[in-house]
Amino acid sequence: MALFPKYSKTRDGQNVVMEQRLLKAVNNLILNAETCTGCGICVDACPEEAIVLGPVGATRRGAIDYAEPVDVNPEKCSYCGVCVVMCPFNAMTLKIDGEERLPILEQEGFPTYDMVTTIDEEKCDRCTICEEVCPRDAINRDVPAFEGGDEAGKPRETALQTRTTFTVDTEKCDVCGICGELCPSITVVRKPANPETGKVEGDVQWEETTCDGCTICVEACPQDAITLEREVISSKLPGKVDIEQDNCCTCTWCVQSCPQEAITVEKIFEGDLEIHPEKCPGGCSTCVEVCPCNALYLPSPLPAKDMKGEIEANIAINKDFCILCGACVNACPSEDALVLRRTGIRMQEKDSDLFKKIKEKLLTPRTSRVKETAPGEVEVKVLGEAEEA
């Protein structure tokens, strides 16, 4: 006779599936190993201590394929959903009997991140910048493709809302046919030749939907019989640009790069990440490679004449883009090169007793001292007590 519960851990493509099979229910916690950044927030958040850090640097750089940035023990896990709620990168999913659910929200009123991610539709000019710079593919640019970016896209003349007026002075027009030969929007229809009158007569027909207002017909008409006026009603491209909140990590790349200042994003963590380049081993670049927000970088070498009395930094950070997730600290092999100090977390609703314990862990300063061995044996140096602004 089968005994319950039963536990298992399997790999399905990029997903690691933890399963708890009860007599009348099946719980699955799914870790997307590709999306997981190794920030370790789920490690601090797990009330059962069922999640431990893996070799973050080695896994995120692709140096090994036998481990993940974090490791979940399916037998310790209570399948409550705290890790799903707290993961800022949407790398965790909880399914109960095949349906996505979060018992921690349903039963205990656990708080969620206070996500502020908006785009002012009136200011947004539908450009492509935010979509390109976003490191998490969180921008949804729902704008039709046009021929400039895609050969199969819509004609460029359909991009803007316009009103075009085409008139022909029938007194001047001799239905010569030049305009029709030049433009597919114009058709010159001549009546059958009449030997009685000896005149060539006809009509100039125009199709507004295909006219791009280029005015070549006006310029080419030998009788100056054509007038074309084009009024732009709306200069904005059709469509809309949104932020997919589930994928947004609040790095603010979109905010900083938007030429119209149309985007508002508030970071979910407050605090600071200290960089001590003098303690950074040259040639490593692990933190740069694992940073999910593209905030860390190797600074460009300075000219020799500007380096008198200076030590060239091995690493640097643009704090505008750092969300204080901690992935870099969890991956850095050099002691004290990176120091993470969180002072606040933006959450909705009131703190629960469980969240207060989690918050204390998340606000505890820590620094790099990583020794990447087996999952659960990876070390990060903790500094002092929790800090709060």
Side-chain angles (χ1 to χ4, degrees):
M1 181 176 178
L3 297 177
F4 293 91
K6 291 183 175 181
Y7 300 98
S8 66
K9 180 190 290 189
T10 57
R11 184 71 183 249
D12 181 15
Q14 64 189 24
N15 293 326
V16 181
V17 183
M18 278 58 64
E19 182 170 282
Q20 179 193 58
R21 186 172 290 273
L22 304 174
L23 187 60
K24 294 185 178 181
V26 177
N27 300 322
N28 292 115
L29 179 65
I30 304 166
L31 168 69
N32 186 318
E34 186 173 300
T35 303
C36 177
T37 65
C39 68
I41 290 173
C42 60
V43 176
D44 288 336
C46 181
E48 306 298 335
E49 298 184 355
I51 308 177
V52 295
L53 279 177
V56 176
T59 56
R60 293 305 299 165
R61 287 186 289 109
I64 61 174
D65 59 5
Y66 55 82
E68 313 305 336
V70 298
D71 185 73
V72 184
N73 186 325
E75 297 187 28
K76 284 186 176 182
C77 179
S78 63
Y79 301 86
C80 63
V82 168
C83 57
V84 178
V85 175
M86 294 301 298
C87 178
F89 301 103
N90 198 31
M92 295 280 201
T93 305
L94 180 63
K95 291 186 177 181
I96 299 176
D97 292 332
E99 179 184 352
E100 288 190 25
R101 288 176 54 191
L102 294 171
I104 193 68
L105 298 184
E106 299 169 359
Q107 301 169 12
E108 300 186 28
F110 193 81
T112 56
Y113 287 122
D114 182 12
M115 296 289 288
V116 177
T117 57
T118 60
I119 297 179
D120 188 325
E121 191 172 351
E122 293 300 316
K123 290 183 178 179
C124 176
D125 60 12
R126 323 284 196 264
C127 75
T128 61
I129 293 176
C130 60
E131 182 184 40
E132 184 173 326
V133 301
C134 178
R136 307 303 301 174
D137 294 327
I139 300 296
N140 179 24
R141 185 175 179 270
D142 186 15
V143 177
F146 293 96
E147 58 186 331
D150 184 348
E151 290 183 1
K154 293 185 176 182
R156 58 188 179 277
E157 61 267 19
T158 64
L160 307 182
Q161 293 183 26
T162 61
R163 183 185 295 114
T164 307
T165 303
F166 176 90
T167 57
V168 176
D169 187 334
T170 56
E171 295 296 325
K172 293 182 177 179
C173 178
D174 58 10
V175 290
C176 68
I178 290 177
C179 55
E181 289 292 304
L182 295 175
C183 179
S185 297
I186 300 175
T187 302
V188 177
V189 180
R190 296 193 186 98
K191 296 179 182 180
N194 187 342
E196 182 178 352
T197 63
K199 292 182 179 180
V200 178
E201 298 178 320
D203 187 27
V204 177
Q205 300 174 354
W206 170 73
E207 177 56 52
E208 181 178 5
T209 58
T210 58
C211 176
D212 62 4
C214 70
T215 73
I216 190 66
C217 57
V218 176
E219 297 169 7
C221 179
Q223 304 301 329
D224 293 329
I226 300 176
T227 302
L228 185 71
E229 295 179 352
R230 189 169 189 249
E231 176 188 1
V232 177
I233 301 172
S234 174
S235 59
K236 285 185 179 294
L237 296 181
K240 189 176 182 181
V241 180
D242 284 321
I243 298 175
E244 294 183 9
Q245 202 170 86
D246 285 346
N247 292 335
C248 178
C249 65
T250 70
C251 67
T252 75
W253 261 102
C254 56
V255 176
Q256 305 296 334
S257 63
C258 179
Q260 302 300 326
E261 298 182 354
I263 305 177
T264 301
V265 173
E266 299 288 344
K267 293 185 180 182
I268 54 177
F269 294 113
E270 300 170 358
D272 189 40
L273 179 67
E274 298 175 10
I275 304 287
H276 298 280
E278 72 280 1
K279 297 181 180 180
C280 172
C284 174
S285 77
T286 296
C287 62
V288 175
E289 295 180 55
V290 305
C291 178
C293 301
N294 197 21
L296 289 158
Y297 61 96
L298 302 177
S300 301
L302 293 174
K305 61 184 180 62
D306 297 332
M307 288 296 296
K308 185 177 182 180
E310 299 288 337
I311 298 176
E312 188 172 15
N314 293 324
I315 196 71
I317 183 173
N318 187 328
K319 294 186 179 182
D320 286 341
F321 307 129
C322 176
I323 70 163
L324 307 173
C325 70
C328 55
V329 173
N330 296 341
C332 178
S334 182
E335 187 168 359
D336 299 334
L338 304 171
V339 180
L340 175 65
R341 301 181 188 275
R342 300 190 192 104
T343 58
I345 310 173
R346 291 179 57 92
M347 303 295 290
Q348 293 180 346
E349 304 142 8
K350 295 181 180 179
D351 292 354
S352 64
D353 290 338
L354 173 58
F355 180 73
K356 288 177 182 177
K357 295 178 182 179
I358 294 172
K359 185 177 181 180
E360 183 177 358
K361 290 182 181 179
L362 292 174
L363 298 187
T364 300
R366 64 203 63 195
T367 184
S368 53
R369 188 185 65 183
V370 173
K371 297 178 181 178
E372 292 189 343
T373 51
E377 298 179 10
V378 174
E379 296 183 19
V380 176
K381 184 175 169 184
V382 176
L383 304 174
E385 301 296 327
E387 296 187 4
E388 189 166 3

